[in-house]
Amino acid sequence: MDNFFAAVSLFRRRKYDECIEVCNELLQNNALHQGPWELKMRSMTQRVYIDDIEADDDVAEDILDTQTIATAPRPGTSIRTAAAMATSTAAGKGTAAGARPRTGTGRPITGISRPGTLSLQRPGSTLGNKTALKTARTAGSARNIRLGSASMFAVGDPTGPLFHISRLHPDKYADKDSLSKPLFQYLYYHEGEVRKAMALCDAVLNLKRSAAGWWWNTQKARCLIATGSPREAEQYLRTALVEFFHPDTVLLLARIYIKIDQPSAALEVCKSGLEKLPNDITLLTQQARILELVGNLSASVRRYRQISQLDSMNTEALACIAVSYFYGNQPETALLYYRRILSMGAHNAELYCNIGLCCLYGGQLDLVFPCFQRAIRMATIPELKADIWYNLSFVALTTGDVHLARRCLRLCIAINGSHGSALNNMAVMVARQKQYAKARSYLMAAKAALPANDEIKCNLEYLENFE
C-alpha cells in the first residue's frame, strides 16, 4: 500500500499519532512534498482540537472599558445582577429553585460542568500557554529552498516544528483554498497564534472581498473575540449570517452578547436562529444555558425537557433536569435520570457522588456509601476529591456519626484548604466542643474563601457576641 494512502486512511480513522509518523517518513524523503505536509498539519490540529464555540462558564471576565454598555442594567437583563435577584425572590416566595446553591461566580449549580474552553490546556498544544515559545527555531537553514517556500517549511528534522511561524507570510497562502483553511486551524488551535491566524483571515478577506465566504468572516470574528474585541467581531458575524445561516455563527454571536453582559440580546439571537433552524439542539442548549445564567431556572428546565424529547441521549439535558428534581425535593425522580446517564456509559466521580446523595435523600441508605466509595476511587482532581469528602461528611452528619463527619471534613480541608463550606462546618463542630478560638480561626478562613456567604458572616457574628 502506498504510504501516503495509508496516512490518509489513518487520518480518517482518527489515528492521528500514527498518521503523523507516516507523514514524517514521507517528509524525510521529500521535505517539499505538500501532501504529507498538509496531512500532518491537519493531524496535529485534530489531535489537540477543542470546541470553543460554547460560551465560557465564567462570565466575570476582563472586558475593555469601551465594551461596557451599562453600569446599572435593568432587572432581568444582566447576568451579574441575576444572583441578587434570585436571592430576593427566594426570600419573598420561598421557592426551591431560588434556594439552589451557587458557584463562586454567583451562577446557580447546574447539572453539568462547562469550564471555559479557551483556558483549557491540551497536550501538545500551546493554546492559552503564556510561556510557550513564540519565536522561530533557528536550527535549520532555508537557504536551499526557493524563496516562495522559505516561510512555509522547516528544513531538517521532520519531527520538529512544522514551519517557522515568524517567517510565515499570510499573503502567499491567501489564494490557496486547499491550504489556507487547514493553515488557519493549525495556527489558531495548535500553535495558539491568534494574531497570526487573524492576519491570515485579513489576507483572505482583502484578496477575495465578498467572495471570501461566510467561513472566513466567522473565523475573523473568532479571532477578534479571542483578542478581546467582541464588538468588532459582531459585524463580521452578521455578514456571515447573511451569506450562510450556520448554527456555529449564531452561537458565536450569542457568545459576544454574553461577554458584554447582554443576555437578552443573546436570547433574541438564539430565538431568531431557531426560527430558521427549528429544533436545533445546539441553539436550544445555548438558550437553556443563558436562562440559567440570568436565574430563570424554570424556563431553562423547560428548554432542557424539549432537548431531551428531541435527543434522548443528551447527557447535559438529563443531568440538568435531574438537578432540578433534586433541589425540588424529588430525589427519587432525580435518581431515575442519573441512572439513565449511568446506563449510557458515563462513569465518573461526579455522577456517583450525585447518585449517592439521591440515595441518601430517597431513603436507600444501603447504596449511599458504595456510591461514595466509587466516587472517591475515580476522583483525580484535588478540588473534586475535596467536594466528595465534604458531601460524605454531610452524609455522616445525617446518619448521626459525628466522629466520621469530623474526619471527612479534615480530609476535605487537607486536600483543599480554601473550601469555605467545609471550614464553616468544621468551625461549628469545634464550637460545639467549646473550642471557640479554633472555631473563630476556621470562620475567618472560611470568610476569606467565601467573602459573600451570609451564613459564615452570621456564624462569625454569633461567635463574637457569644464570647
Side-chain angles (χ1 to χ4, degrees), residues 58-118:
D58 186 7
V59 298
E61 297 180 356
D62 294 332
I63 301 176
L64 298 176
D65 293 337
T66 56
Q67 311 295 342
T68 303
I69 302 302
T71 57
R74 299 190 307 276
T77 62
S78 174
I79 299 172
R80 296 180 177 85
T81 59
M85 289 180 56
T87 303
S88 61
T89 304
K93 298 182 180 180
T95 58
R100 183 182 296 190
R102 295 178 174 270
T103 62
T105 59
R107 175 175 178 171
I109 295 294
T110 59
I112 192 167
S113 177
R114 292 185 296 272
T117 54
L118 287 180

Side-chain angles (χ1 to χ4, degrees), residues 136-336:
R137 303 175 188 265
T138 58
S141 174
R143 182 175 300 175
N144 297 326
I145 306 179
R146 64 181 186 274
L147 184 61
S149 302
S151 63
M152 183 174 177
F153 298 97
V155 177
D157 185 12
T159 61
L162 201 57
F163 54 84
H164 299 297
I165 298 179
S166 61
R167 299 178 183 176
L168 179 67
H169 297 288
D171 296 335
K172 296 181 180 179
Y173 313 109
D175 57 341
K176 300 178 181 179
D177 296 334
S178 62
L179 188 61
S180 56
K181 288 185 178 181
L183 180 59
F184 170 85
Q185 293 175 341
Y186 178 82
L187 292 172
Y188 186 86
Y189 292 106
H190 188 276
E191 294 297 328
E193 289 282 353
V194 180
R195 298 288 182 182
K196 188 67 72 171
M198 186 162 58
L200 180 60
C201 290
D202 292 334
V204 175
L205 292 174
N206 293 334
L207 177 65
K208 299 183 179 180
R209 302 293 179 179
S210 59
W214 68 274
W215 193 87
W216 285 107
N217 284 292
T218 303
Q219 305 314 313
K220 171 68 174 181
R222 190 193 302 272
C223 294
L224 289 172
I225 294 174
T227 55
S229 303
R231 273 302 186 187
E232 298 179 14
E234 182 181 0
Q235 58 179 343
Y236 288 96
L237 291 176
R238 295 288 185 184
T239 304
L241 286 175
V242 172
E243 297 177 358
F244 181 74
F245 203 90
H246 197 277
D248 288 356
T249 310
V250 179
L251 292 177
L252 281 175
L253 188 58
R255 180 179 175 182
I256 287 178
Y257 291 123
I258 292 296
K259 280 183 172 290
I260 61 178
D261 195 19
Q262 291 187 8
S264 300
L267 289 173
E268 288 296 327
V269 169
C270 294
K271 183 179 179 180
S272 62
L274 288 170
E275 291 177 355
K276 295 186 177 181
L277 301 172
N279 297 331
D280 187 86
I281 299 297
T282 57
L283 297 181
L284 288 173
T285 303
Q286 182 66 22
Q287 204 172 31
R289 293 172 182 174
I290 298 172
L291 291 171
E292 278 182 347
L293 287 175
V294 299
N296 194 350
L297 299 179
S298 58
S300 175
V301 172
R302 287 197 297 270
R303 289 290 183 274
Y304 281 123
R305 290 184 188 279
Q306 184 179 356
I307 294 170
S308 63
Q309 291 175 358
L310 297 171
D311 182 11
S312 59
M313 303 288 287
N314 193 293
T315 305
E316 180 177 351
L318 295 175
C320 292
I321 294 172
V323 167
S324 175
Y325 275 119
F326 180 81
Y327 288 108
N329 297 325
Q330 299 182 41
E332 296 86 357
T333 309
L335 185 59
L336 294 176

Side-chain angles (χ1 to χ4, degrees), residues 443-459:
L443 287 175
M444 293 300 294
K447 185 179 180 181
L450 298 175
N453 191 286
D454 296 332
E455 181 180 354
I456 298 175
K457 295 179 181 179
C458 181
N459 290 339

